[in-house]
Amino acid sequence: MQQWAVWAEEVERLLEQGKSKPAVELAKVAHKHTASAASEALLVKAYAARIRALVQAGLNEEAKALLALVGQRYSRFKEALAGIGFILHAGTSLDDFLRPFADPDLPQDRRAEIETVIRRELTDLGPLAQSAVLPATHPLRLAATKLEQAFRAVTTGPVSDDALSLTEISHQSPLAPWKSLVRAIASFYRGDDRACERWLEQVAADSAPARLVPALSVMLAKPSKQPLKPAAIRLTTQIVGEASSVRASLEALDRAFVGGKPKRIARHIEKAVAAVKTSCPDLVERLKQHIAVRAYVSDRRALAAIPDGYRKDAHFWHLLARLTELLERDFTLEACSLWEQFRKHAVAQGLFAEDGPEIAALYLHMAEILEQSSPEELARERPAFEDRFPGYLKYYSDQPADIRRAGARQDPEACYFLYPELLYARACAIDPDPEIFRQWLHWARRSEDWHVSDRAAQSWRRALPKDGRPLLHLMESAEKRGALKKALGYLEEAEALDRLNPEVRRARLRLLTANAVRHLSQNKVHLVELDAAALEALPQAGEVNRPAFPAALRWASGVLHNNRQEALHYSAQVAALLESRAAATVTLANLADMAGFRSAANGFLGSDISGEKIAEAVARACALGEDLGLKFVVPSEWDEKILDELRERRLEVGTRQLCLLAEAALRAGRRELAFAACGAGLAKGGPTEARFLLLRGQALPEWEFSRRDECFIAAAELARRQRDMDLAEEAVELLRTYSRQGSTFLRWAAHREPRSFSMSSEEVQKILERERKASKLPVLSPDKPAPDYGSGRWNEEIEEENEEENEEEEDDSFAAMNFKELTQFLFELAKRIVGPRDPDGTPGKRHRPSSRGPRSLF
Amino acid sequence: MSRERRGTLAPGDDPREILELEPNATDEDIRAAYLQKVKEHPPERSPEAFERIRDAYELLRDPRRRALCFLLSVDAMGPLVSLVADRVGKRQFVGPGPWLDVLREK
């Protein structure tokens, strides 16, 4: 007896620990030796635990066999085993399982166990609602009755919300998931899909009603994580038609493509095509085309699995072209060739008229794709592509005659689709809209060859003769290359169209000025008086300081005629008109420089500038030059004086003039002066800060690449916020230009090609603050630690290719450094590579550049 | 890729879907759909929805922009199941039997 107690205790301990197998073995031993009712009950209990463990392990068949054996051998424990039998659907009746539930004294844990089984396993409410072992007033039976009626109602016809209040079923009820399911089905039939989804979310995942969630999700057109089982497919087909089963097969194919196993993909392709053929035959071709395009990028072997091939019509090429253009920038030419195939088929199929707006839009789209490369890059890449491009004829061997014919059509301008100029010309021929011409000209201006932009402007002019914009371009283009007569001709045409246009008005002043300077340089002094008179005759000639320029021309005439009296007279007149002898000196000296008689003019410039505010005077002269289209240079001998004045920052000079002063200093290569002018401008704050940051960036020495880039990015960001898109574009272009220029070594060191042109407000403010405070141009000194500008995120990556590209280029900027500069540059570079110093002053951890992929120096 | 102004519309948004238009909708259809949608979502009541509707209409009213919208509309790498997205028919009542079959299916 004592031994039995030990065994019983041990069996219970094993069961508590979830060790059902040794518990069964020990209970068998105990029952063999004791053979009492208690030992038999203990053995059945151990068997029950073992069967549950098998079920949990997914060994249902083994569990069923064991249950059958135990039920046969220990028949008086049939009731106790009913719950397990219900779980296993092993033939145990629901009544046997529920019988204990009718007992009001049933222990709580046993009741909870039965409720769990009901929640998880009850797949039909009818038997529970009609169970004879529970009284008709039993809450569970009542709830099942109500739910059974509601379930029948919602699956049979429309039901009002009132009929679904189901207040009898609480959240704790084992039938609560049924309540959510019934409401989900009602919402589904009402068309309230969101409510349906919400109710489905409330169906407990481990409950029996949850088995309907995947089918309902598919019917709601939501992707299903698992394939539907046959009964679920039948249900969805009956309710929403074949589309749901098609959807299931397409989802399976999508998953197969993700999985990437060829055999599986092929199997699902066949299934999906068959399903679509049965229920949506009109979609078969489209599906096959989508599969084909998917196969082109993932696994071409899948193409062979497409039953009866696929049509390579407009839709196919449309898909392929769009996909290719989204792939990589390297495939821009291929993408355009595919769009051309699409165009041929779209026209042949009658989707678009050959000269319809859709085709114009397509030409523009192709041009935009090509615009990702600069005109020069395109010119380099195009010949190689044209040489190796075989066309797409071989793709049509299995196609019907109509498709073969459409695909084989050759355009008279072979490979026109690789030339933005031809694309724009075609688009404009179909749709001569000023906006398209503007886009064309905008692209053409990127070319270094002025003929390209002039051709665009000429086409615009011919198509829209009343639009003055192409004339202004042609005029500026001619002016830039010194063809002043031609430029004046275009100007006259522009004036005939719109004389009051401010650009036209400015152009007249500018061109007359340029003409006068040319006459001077050609020593045609006799024409100078005529030029001065023509300038004075302009309605706008009296504005601001402009009257000083005709006087300056007459001064030049006096100098060239060696008429000292006349020269001094007009020199004084210029000084009076500009209210500054210094400004007059700058104006006259620049005019003499431009016209090539500086040495002759030296004695006629005047030198008494005592008491004058030089910075202000020079800025005024620069403003006059800018107004007339002349780029004045600041006299170098005044630098110290101007710098002193600028650093005092008590100037009367406006921000516009400071900008001009900085630009003039940059033109003359005098970084220190430009740097100081920017500092004075930044100190004034206001909307010109972006412009000053841009100039400050250009004023910085080459080795300050990080700081320069930061200035450009901050300028671009500020300009964007002020909606000054021209300035923002200029900043971005400068950033790109600097990244392309300079030495190979510097390009590598600065690891250009920044990833982002944006900056947070805080970062912009920080940079503005830093640049305002900076009073002196950075100079190289190995004794002085270099400022740490390397924490910016714009320079975090360096590409391996940077090291390799243009290796043979001359390293001019590097060579131009003196020894001291070189030392400082290398010091800065070493600091970047080694990383910031640790607090104790020792160099930080070295960042080794990876030999593969992008790497970081920080 | 495109410089096309799309306003409040994200790259994946289909303006035709926003105005609930058929692919072959005419200019008149587009305008009628726009007016109908504005009635449903007036700017004072739902300004965000209105902006989307207006941007969709702006994209579709101009034939060139409409064409560009069409060119960019295909999604070659989108899920294949999206091909049948609009093929859901009327939901039929089938009684409790087929539903219970799904529950019983292990």
Side-chain angles (χ1 to χ4, degrees):
Chain A
M1 193 61 197
Q2 201 179 359
Q3 181 60 43
W4 152 247
V6 173
W7 278 333
E9 196 178 324
E10 181 61 11
V11 169
E12 292 289 357
R13 193 184 62 78
L14 287 168
L15 288 175
E16 271 177 28
Q17 290 175 353
K19 296 174 178 173
S20 60
K21 198 173 178 182
V24 167
E25 294 304 320
L26 188 60
K28 274 193 220 166
V29 172
H31 183 51
K32 191 177 173 185
H33 287 87
T34 313
S36 65
S39 65
E40 192 180 31
L42 184 68
L43 180 58
V44 170
K45 188 178 179 182
Y47 271 126
R50 181 70 192 138
I51 293 165
R52 284 195 184 93
L54 289 171
V55 172
Q56 278 177 359
L59 301 167
N60 278 22
E61 291 309 312
E62 289 79 354
K64 276 181 191 174
L66 185 58
L67 179 65
L69 191 73
V70 175
Q72 196 182 5
R73 195 170 289 173
Y74 307 101
S75 55
R76 71 188 184 91
F77 291 95
K78 194 179 169 191
E79 194 179 284
L81 295 168
I84 303 168
F86 190 67
I87 294 170
L88 289 165
H89 292 261
T92 308
S93 79
L94 181 67
D95 282 349
D96 286 343
F97 171 68
L98 287 175
R99 192 162 285 115
F101 217 66
D103 179 3
D105 298 327
L106 185 70
Q108 192 54 42
D109 57 340
R110 181 79 182 107
R111 182 177 294 276
E113 191 180 41
I114 294 173
E115 284 184 348
T116 303
V117 172
I118 290 173
R119 189 164 52 82
R120 289 182 179 172
E121 303 298 331
L122 188 73
T123 55
D124 189 352
L125 294 160
L128 177 57
Q130 290 154 21
S131 173
V133 297
L134 294 179
T137 53
H138 192 282
L140 186 65
R141 194 173 157 190
L142 276 176
T145 307
K146 284 275 179 188
L147 277 169
E148 205 266 335
Q149 287 166 356
F151 183 73
R152 187 173 293 279
V154 294
T155 54
T156 309
V159 180
S160 69
D161 277 346
D162 300 342
L164 300 174
S165 60
L166 300 170
T167 49
E168 300 82 356
I169 300 108
S170 70
H171 285 302
Q172 283 79 36
S173 167
L175 298 180
W178 279 91
K179 184 172 158 180
S180 300
L181 175 67
V182 163
R183 287 180 171 174
I185 296 172
S187 304
F188 168 75
Y189 277 118
R190 233 190 345 256
D192 189 351
D193 291 359
R194 284 197 175 176
C196 178
E197 283 175 47
R198 278 200 302 274
W199 286 118
L200 287 180
E201 281 168 15
Q202 292 191 25
V203 177
D206 64 345
S207 67
R211 293 174 201 168
L212 270 166
V213 172
L216 269 165
S217 297
V218 167
M219 290 191 281
L220 292 172
K222 298 282 165 197
S224 163
K225 287 176 189 157
Q226 295 160 350
L228 294 186
K229 292 177 179 168
I233 293 173
R234 279 198 301 278
L235 174 74
T236 55
T237 306
Q238 282 177 277
I239 293 174
V240 294
E242 295 284 349
S244 63
S245 58
V246 169
R247 184 174 294 118
S249 62
L250 292 178
E251 280 176 349
L253 179 53
D254 277 325
R255 282 193 295 271
F257 268 120
V258 173
K261 292 183 178 164
K263 280 187 184 166
R264 192 160 170 256
I265 293 173
R267 199 170 61 244
H268 282 288
I269 286 176
E270 281 169 25
K271 276 187 185 174
V273 172
V276 170
K277 203 178 263 180
T278 311
S279 52
C280 319
D282 58 314
L283 282 181
V284 172
E285 272 312 319
R286 193 145 283 204
L287 170 68
K288 291 201 282 186
Q289 290 168 328
H290 277 259
I291 292 172
V293 171
R294 185 74 69 84
Y296 271 106
V297 288
S298 54
D299 188 342
R300 291 195 179 205
R301 284 173 293 182
L303 289 170
I306 301 174
D308 307 322
Y310 51 95
R311 285 171 69 86
K312 287 167 183 162
D313 60 12
H315 187 69
F316 170 77
W317 295 104
H318 192 180
L319 286 172
L320 209 53
R322 182 78 180 125
L323 179 68
T324 309
E325 80 171 43
L326 294 174
L327 280 179
E328 290 282 341
R329 202 185 130 192
D330 295 346
F331 294 110
T332 50
L333 301 182
E334 283 82 356
C336 287
S337 69
L338 291 165
W339 278 117
E340 166 62 3
Q341 286 306 108
F342 163 70
R343 187 191 68 83
K344 287 181 195 173
H345 288 280
V347 171
Q349 287 174 229
L351 294 178
F352 304 150
E354 185 129 33
D355 54 357
E358 296 87 358
I359 295 293
L362 176 57
Y363 288 140
L364 284 180
H365 182 59
M366 289 154 89
E368 276 188 16
I369 294 172
L370 296 173
E371 278 180 29
Q372 291 175 70
S373 307
S374 73
E376 285 68 33
E377 279 170 338
L378 260 184
R380 275 198 303 274
E381 291 163 8
R382 220 164 15 216
F385 180 85
E386 285 181 272
D387 282 349
R388 68 168 198 272
F389 179 57
Y392 293 103
L393 278 180
K394 71 170 184 179
Y395 286 79
Y396 290 96
S397 57
D398 60 343
Q399 293 297 301
D402 58 328
I403 292 185
R404 261 206 322 271
R405 242 192 334 272
R409 276 179 58 193
Q410 284 300 320
D411 196 278
E413 286 180 303
C415 288
Y416 79 92
F417 47 84
L418 304 177
Y419 296 80
E421 190 169 9
L422 296 178
L423 288 164
Y424 277 120
R426 284 176 174 225
C428 288
I430 295 172
D431 186 4
D433 186 282
E435 177 52 27
I436 305 183
F437 279 112
R438 195 198 59 75
Q439 278 185 42
W440 181 2
L441 190 55
H442 185 268
W443 166 80
R445 278 181 164 149
R446 291 170 62 194
S447 172
E448 288 164 8
D449 181 357
W450 61 268
H451 292 97
V452 178
S453 58
D454 274 23
R455 276 200 296 271
Q458 290 287 13
S459 298
W460 188 348
R461 183 186 169 205
R462 276 195 300 274
L464 302 165
K466 291 195 172 165
D467 196 328
R469 284 173 289 181
L471 286 169
L472 282 172
H473 168 81
L474 290 166
M475 180 196 70
E476 280 170 23
S477 171
E479 186 185 349
K480 267 183 201 160
R481 55 179 197 273
L484 292 181
K485 202 171 169 187
K486 222 172 203 174
L488 278 165
Y490 289 128
L491 176 64
E492 275 163 23
E493 282 186 56
E495 282 174 337
L497 286 175
D498 185 2
R499 189 172 292 277
L500 297 177
N501 183 322
E503 272 190 69
V504 173
R505 281 160 57 92
R506 271 197 301 274
R508 168 62 70 180
L509 179 70
R510 212 173 55 234
L511 283 179
L512 283 180
T513 302
N515 213 26
V517 173
R518 173 176 287 187
H519 287 155
L520 278 175
S521 64
Q522 291 170 343
N523 214 14
K524 294 178 180 171
V525 187
H526 60 286
L527 295 176
V528 169
E529 181 49 42
L530 291 174
D531 293 331
L535 276 167
E536 283 172 331
L538 289 177
Q540 64 269 36
E543 292 170 20
V544 210
N545 294 316
R546 286 174 189 166
F549 193 69
L553 288 175
R554 291 184 178 114
W555 165 84
S557 170
V559 171
L560 291 170
H561 282 124
N562 205 17
N563 184 339
R564 186 172 182 80
Q565 198 179 355
E566 189 182 332
L568 290 176
H569 167 73
Y570 283 112
S571 163
Q573 195 177 4
V574 172
L577 287 166
L578 291 176
E579 297 174 357
S580 160
R581 289 184 302 282
T585 303
V586 174
T587 305
L588 298 177
N590 272 287
L591 178 60
D593 266 341
M594 288 171 185
F597 64 94
R598 178 63 193 269
S599 53
N602 275 341
F604 303 92
L605 286 172
S607 58
D608 183 15
I609 54 166
S610 53
E612 288 225 26
K613 288 181 177 168
I614 304 297
E616 197 179 329
V618 171
R620 188 175 302 174
C622 289
L624 174 63
E626 178 74 16
D627 188 33
L628 299 168
L630 303 174
K631 302 288 182 195
F632 281 2
V633 172
V634 185
S636 57
E637 56 270 27
W638 293 353
D639 274 12
E640 280 307 315
K641 216 164 166 20
I642 298 173
L643 282 170
D644 288 343
E645 289 179 18
L646 286 173
R647 283 174 192 146
E648 281 175 22
R649 293 189 181 174
R650 279 174 300 177
L651 294 170
E652 298 296 318
V653 189
T655 48
R656 169 87 191 121
Q657 287 168 317
L658 281 170
C659 271
L660 294 168
L661 182 59
E663 284 168 2
L666 278 177
R667 268 197 300 278
R670 297 218 290 287
R671 290 176 190 271
E672 195 175 2
L673 187 56
F675 186 92
C678 294
L682 284 168
K684 286 180 182 284
T688 47
E689 280 176 332
R691 170 63 65 187
F692 282 115
L693 274 179
L694 200 66
L695 291 165
R696 170 60 65 88
Q698 294 171 79
L700 288 166
E702 176 134 3
W703 49 269
E704 283 273 37
F705 34 75
S706 299
R707 182 173 169 185
R708 187 190 55 227
D709 288 356
E710 285 172 12
C711 285
F712 289 162
I713 296 168
E717 190 62 51
L718 276 174
R720 267 196 291 272
R721 287 176 201 175
Q722 292 161 2
R723 309 226 176 257
D724 186 347
M725 298 322 285
D726 288 340
L727 184 59
E729 205 172 311
E730 194 182 335
V732 171
E733 197 48 48
L734 269 173
L735 197 58
R736 289 194 178 126
T737 306
Y738 273 89
S739 73
R740 285 195 293 264
Q741 289 174 349
S743 67
T744 307
F745 181 57
L746 279 178
R747 220 176 13 244
W748 172 81
H751 46 83
R752 313 283 174 73
E753 293 294 344
R755 300 287 167 194
S756 165
F757 296 136
S758 62
M759 206 178 242
S760 71
S761 300
E762 291 75 31
E763 287 164 331
V764 171
Q765 283 311 317
K766 239 162 110 179
I767 285 161
L768 270 174
E769 202 51 41
R770 182 184 74 198
E771 296 305 326
R772 271 192 211 111
K773 278 182 187 165
S775 58
K776 284 193 173 176
L777 184 74
V779 287
L780 293 161
S781 159
D783 306 328
K784 196 177 78 174
D788 182 9
Y789 303 116
S791 56
R793 62 191 156 83
W794 309 282
N795 291 311
E796 282 171 2
E797 290 180 352
I798 176 169
E799 291 188 8
E800 193 80 352
E801 294 79 38
N802 286 356
E803 284 181 279
E804 294 163 12
E805 64 185 16
N806 302 325
E807 275 176 352
E808 289 173 13
E809 276 182 17
E810 274 191 40
D811 225 347
D812 291 339
S813 52
F814 194 42
M817 289 183 178
N818 61 32
F819 179 73
K820 246 183 137 180
E821 286 173 334
L822 180 62
T823 315
Q824 178 65 28
F825 176 77
L826 290 174
F827 173 76
E828 161 108 352
L829 184 62
K831 185 169 171 270
R832 284 163 153 265
I833 295 171
V834 172
R837 283 177 178 263
D838 290 338
D840 63 358
T842 55
K845 189 180 170 188
R846 185 186 170 94
H847 296 253
R848 284 184 183 279
S850 156
S851 60
R852 268 182 290 171
R855 60 193 188 182
S856 171
L857 285 181
F858 299 99
Chain B
M1 167 56 56
S2 169
R3 284 195 297 256
E4 190 67 359
R5 185 192 165 276
R6 292 179 65 90
T8 54
L9 305 187
D13 289 342
D14 183 353
R16 285 172 195 278
E17 214 169 87
I18 292 169
L19 297 185
E20 292 183 26
L21 283 163
E22 296 293 320
N24 53 352
T26 62
D27 288 354
E28 290 77 37
D29 296 337
I30 293 168
R31 183 161 171 74
Y34 168 66
L35 294 175
Q36 176 60 34
K37 282 277 165 193
V38 169
K39 253 187 209 171
E40 289 169 19
H41 304 278
E44 62 279 8
R45 251 206 343 246
S46 40
E48 282 180 17
F50 171 75
E51 273 190 39
R52 278 172 63 77
I53 292 162
R54 189 201 54 204
D55 288 338
Y57 178 58
E58 288 298 322
L59 265 179
L60 294 177
R61 65 189 294 200
D62 174 348
R64 198 171 352 116
R65 299 177 80 191
R66 192 160 69 218
L68 187 57
C69 197
F70 167 76
L71 294 177
L72 305 181
S73 65
V74 296
D75 184 4
M77 289 307 279
L80 294 169
V81 73
S82 61
L83 289 173
V84 291
D86 58 349
R87 293 296 175 107
V88 178
K90 193 169 178 282
R91 295 167 179 178
Q92 303 293 334
F93 287 100
V94 292
W99 293 86
L100 293 176
D101 288 345
V102 178
L103 291 174
R104 289 186 196 116
E105 191 177 44
K106 262 285 182 184

